């Protein structure tokens, strides 16, 4: 279901539904404070020129606009892409670049990715949209067995490098099983693809352009809650952000916190809580690229702090935190002051009404901080 | 091929005569659209004595290089019983349903409509998180459900609430699911409209499109082996029919002789995507013969035609143990869902046309009025009554608590494994420590 388009809606049945105006006895509780976060705008690099206030879907749109404008082979397609996409990311682009470059595909994720691989293999730049990350699995075979292995199996005669798959992911408060998942770990297990997740508009545009221009197939997860809730000044021109480079967004000495996407913002607030309430100084790292990930930056930080907390929305078992933890205990064993902590979604499908209990929210992360310093 | 004016002049690859075909918006073709007109031989004569002996062949050799041109075939007709104003011109097509049955059809269709309005509105007010209306498709639901045995197993997509209603799913069952409260048999885990009922033989809805289709074939195969004389029906949208799973389903059902009815609701749109971007053949029905499936296209806004079709399909399914494909032509009058604004992609008034001019509810009502079974007074009373029933169920559901948060960990497996038990304990311990920060007030108490 295309969720989350919050536009004006015509009420086909203009009825006077009097009862609906009565007091609601069991109104959704407002006590979800710790699962939410405040978006703190980033500062654009001055070297990237002029800026405009954009939210994340506008930043993605701007990135796509530049990709299509600078590369005449580039095409953009997927379910409902033509009218602007269910999250508005491709709005206006069909009119600007024509229906042969920005188009609807039939409803088949397997088809979308395979078509993209074909385009890429024939030398065109393919930007494919999968409407929700939860629906990427019909394309899993095409990604895992095809896109990722094109170069390797042909001895570099052929490759699928010009393919980028964009897809909205993550929790939004009411998405339940099939509009909430964060499946990055599945794809992090595939040598040959790159997996990237931005934390906000500036990163989204720069990283997306990097993915599109990268010589390897990339999967770009866009945390859908950030499409509208993250707003900042974004450079209007062409710029890229490097892949496989983590970014330290808050410096600290006692604990290293690693996250990506929405969870970065939760971590930042936990870091502030820790400072305020526990006088613990946290270093927050946005991993940004999940595969191949920036081991060096994380290890350097852990060497300094001696403690590591990793958090993600995806279930604990086999989540990408497991990979980071394993690598870091190997790289930094003698520096560690406490066992590495993970705060993640539980090992259940993503539930609807239980979402506030399911998420790795601020309080759960805060408890992990206490555990780390009290070890 | 050379473009001359707005036309493309080309040669027919079959008879090589010069032909002109009008430039098509989507794909110019350089074969003539009507071989019957330009090719000298209009029927096939084989110059060979033998017949193709390739495995499965059932045709002849031909010396004519002639492509199968899809547009040469006439469109598959739309089976209809009742005109828009409720008349039945061919008396032998009248299903002769008794008054009680027709009234139940009408009641369910209109009750569904009323429920849709109220739940749609309640989502706009933030009282439930999501909703999808069934506007315009009520006839496909009720007509098909009425023709089935209530024990026939249903695999739905998500826009088939009327099927459940016909089978006796109560207003409070719908509402409880949409609220994800303690009354929800699905235990609050799924988004609104993801209904399911073991008692009513309706497999719980999943958001993932087309995944239910091959499952339906498998279930039908099990039914066949059990010799229970029941069939399976699988509903899906014309959009979902583009998924690879749809192909697998058709092919599995056909090759394994599964007693399943594939019921396509072709409502013109898959979210914003119109059918012209979804397929280029003659709808979904044209695929049936390709898979070796008996196929019928029906006017989905004609509840009686849908009824007759499904009844006949069911008989055929069971008698011959084979799948049937039905394509019900209808129109999605509402937005795709509460997350969608269809004015972004379809003309204002387009939906209004269908709502007013070709609406299954109006049509069956016209029939009832002709029969003298219904009048304005009854309509007024029923509308009042049904509204108050819906509103009553609505407030009841709203007043109920959500399930105990611990239920989040149940049913991942039949029994909770150790690692999940540990997580469950951690969750309880953590939430108890920070009680005031979690919405425990709207949930049933934890143990
Ligand atoms: C595998 C998968 N891909 C994409 C979606 C998102 N989605 C939900 S409904 C829908 C359109 C379905 O259209 P159709 O099958 O025609 O059914 P209708 O909504 O018209 O009843 C899409 C693309 C999904 N739910 N599942
Ligand atoms: Mg449809």
């Amino acid at each position: 279901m295309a969720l989350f388009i919050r536009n004006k809606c015509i009420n086909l049945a203009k009825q006077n539904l009097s009862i609906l105006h009565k007091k609601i006895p069991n109104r959704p509780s407002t006590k979800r404070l710790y699962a939410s976060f405040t978006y703190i705008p980033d500062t654009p690099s001055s070297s990237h020129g002029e800026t405009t206030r954009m939210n994340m879907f506008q930043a993605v749109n701007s990135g796509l606009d530049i990709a299509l404008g600078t590369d005449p082979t580039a095409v953009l397609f997927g379910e409902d892409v033509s009218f602007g996409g269910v999250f508005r990311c491709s709005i206006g682009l069909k009119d600007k670049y024509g229906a042969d470059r920005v188009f609807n595909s039939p409803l088949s994720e397997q088809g979308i990715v395979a078509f993209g691989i074909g385009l890429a293999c024939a030398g065109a730049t393919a930007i494919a949209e999968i409407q929700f990350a939860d629906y990427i699995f019909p394309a899993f075979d095409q990604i895992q067995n095809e896109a990722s292995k094109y170069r390797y199996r042909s001895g570099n005669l052929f490759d699928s490098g010009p393919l980028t798959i964009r897809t909205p992911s993550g929790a939004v408060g009411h998405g339940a099983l099939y509009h909430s998942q964060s499946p990055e770990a599945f794809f992090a297990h595939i040598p040959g693809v790159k997996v990237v997740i931005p934390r906000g508009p500036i990163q989204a545009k720069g990283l997306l352009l990097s993915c599109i221009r990268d010589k390897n197939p990339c999967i770009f997860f866009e945390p859908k809650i950030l499409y509208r809730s993250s707003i900042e000044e974004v450079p209007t021109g062409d710029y890229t952000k490097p892949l496989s480079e983590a970014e330290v967004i808050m410096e600290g000495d006692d604990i290293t916190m690693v996250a990506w996407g929405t969870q970065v913002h939760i971590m930042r607030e936990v870091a502030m809580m820790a400072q305020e309430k526990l006088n613990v100084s946290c270093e927050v790292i946005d991993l940004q690229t999940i595969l191949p990930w920036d081991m060096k930056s994380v290890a350097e930080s852990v060497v300094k702090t001696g403690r590591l907390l990793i958090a993600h929305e995806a279930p604990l078992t086999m989540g990408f935190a497991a990979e980071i933890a394993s690598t870091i205990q190997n790289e930094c064993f003698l520096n560690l002051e406490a066992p590495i902590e993970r705060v993640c979604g539980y090992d259940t499908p993503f539930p609807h009404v239980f979402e506030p209990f399911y998420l790795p929210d601020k309080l759960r992360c805060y408890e992990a901080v206490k555990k780390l310093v009290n070890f | 091929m050379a473009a001359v004016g707005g036309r493309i002049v080309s040669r027919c690859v079959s008879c090589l005569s010069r032909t002109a075909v009008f430039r098509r918006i989507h794909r110019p073709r350089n074969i003539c659209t009507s071989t019957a007109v330009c090719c000298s031989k209009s029927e096939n004569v084989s110059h060979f004595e033998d017949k193709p002996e390739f495995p499965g062949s059932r045709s002849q050799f031909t010396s004519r290089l002639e492509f199968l041109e899809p547009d040469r075939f006439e469109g598959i007709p739309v089976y209809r019983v009742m005109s828009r104003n409720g008349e039945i011109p061919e008396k032998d097509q009248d299903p002769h349903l008794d008054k009680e049955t027709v009234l139940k059809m009408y009641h369910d269709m209109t009750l569904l409509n009323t429920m849709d309005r109220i739940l749609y509105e309640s989502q706009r007010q933030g009282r439930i998180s999501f909703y999808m209306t069934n506007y315009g498709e009520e006839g496909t639901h009720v007509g098909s459900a009425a023709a089935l045995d209530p024990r026939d197993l249903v695999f739905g997509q998500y826009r088939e609430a009327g099927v459940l209603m016909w089978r006796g799913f109560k207003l409070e069952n719908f509402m409880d699911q949409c609220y994800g409260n303690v009354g929800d048999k699905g235990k609050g885990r799924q988004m609104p409209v993801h209904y399911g009922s073991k008692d009513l033989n309706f497999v719980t809805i999943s958001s993932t499109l087309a995944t239910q289709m091959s499952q339906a074939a498998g279930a039908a195969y099990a039914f066949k082996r059990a010799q229970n004389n029941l069939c399976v029906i699988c509903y899906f949208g014309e959009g979902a029919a583009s998924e690879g799973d749809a192909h697998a389903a058709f092919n599995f059902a056909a090759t394994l002789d599964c007693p399943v009815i594939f019921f396509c609701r072709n409502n013109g749109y898959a979210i914003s995507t119109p059918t012209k971007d979804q397929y280029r053949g003659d709808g979904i029905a044209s695929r049936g013969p390709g898979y070796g499936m008996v196929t019928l296209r029906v006017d989905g806004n004609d509840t009686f035609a849908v009824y007759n079709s499904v009844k006949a399909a069911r008989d055929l399914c069971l008698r011959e143990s084979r799948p049937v494909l039905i394509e019900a032509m209808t129109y999605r009058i509402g937005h795709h869902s509460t997350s969608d604004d269809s004015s972004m992609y379809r003309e204002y008034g387009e939906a209004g046309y269908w709502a007013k001019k070709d609406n299954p509810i109006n049509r069956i009502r016209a029939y009832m009025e002709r029969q003298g079974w219904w009048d304005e007074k009854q309509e007024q009373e029923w509308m009042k009554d049904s509204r108050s029933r819906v509103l009553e169920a609505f407030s009841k559901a709203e007043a109920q608590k959500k399930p105990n948060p611990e239920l989040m960990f149940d049913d991942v497996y039949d029994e909770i494994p150790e690692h999940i038990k540990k997580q469950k304990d951690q969750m309880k311990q953590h939430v108890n420590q920070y009680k005031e920060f979690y919405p425990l007030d709207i949930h049933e108490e934890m143990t």
Side-chain angles (χ1 to χ4, degrees), chain A residues 1-5 8-9 11 15 17 19-20 26 80 88 104 107 109 177 347 352-353 361 367, chain B residues 121 125 127 129-130 188-189 243 272-273 277-278 335 339-341 344 387 391 398 423 434 438:
Chain A
M1 264 124 279
L3 282 170
F4 325 115
I5 306 174
K8 74 175 160 56
C9 239
N11 180 7
Q15 284 207 352
L17 303 167
I19 190 167
L20 296 179
N26 223 336
D80 301 293
R88 322 311 299 130
N104 283 341
L107 210 171
E109 292 73 18
L177 279 76
D347 287 338
H352 186 226
V353 303
D361 65 8
E367 277 305 297
Chain B
E121 194 54 37
Q125 299 182 3
R127 302 167 89 134
S129 63
F130 175 82
R189 294 181 186 141
E243 289 280 6
S272 76
T273 305
D277 289 355
Q278 202 64 252
H335 302 299
S339 312
D340 175 42
D341 172 7
M344 308 269 302
R387 253 176 67 81
L391 290 172
E398 190 161 59
Q423 294 179 12
Y434 288 104
Y438 288 89

Side-chain angles (χ1 to χ4, degrees), chain A residues 226-300:
Chain A
L226 299 176
Y227 277 138
R228 285 162 195 270
S229 66
S230 63
I231 302 174
E232 61 203 13
E233 289 290 324
V234 179
T236 50
D238 195 342
Y239 69 96
T240 54
K241 292 261 174 193
L243 302 183
S244 292
E245 272 186 32
E247 194 180 329
V248 177
I249 63 159
M250 221 173 128
E251 285 186 22
D253 302 318
D254 302 325
I255 297 182
T256 300
M257 295 175 152
V258 175
W260 46 91
T262 315
Q263 196 65 22
V264 171
H265 307 294
I266 303 277
M267 288 298 222
R268 185 183 350 226
E269 284 185 50
V270 174
M272 293 190 289
M273 275 166 73
Q275 185 66 62
E276 209 175 285
K277 297 189 179 164
L278 308 170
N279 200 25
V280 169
S281 152
C282 300
E283 177 144 302
V284 180
I285 297 181
D286 176 2
L287 197 61
Q288 304 195 103
T289 301
I290 308 300
L291 190 72
W293 65 288
D294 185 356
M295 190 189 306
K296 188 163 161 277
S297 293
V298 178
E300 271 171 13

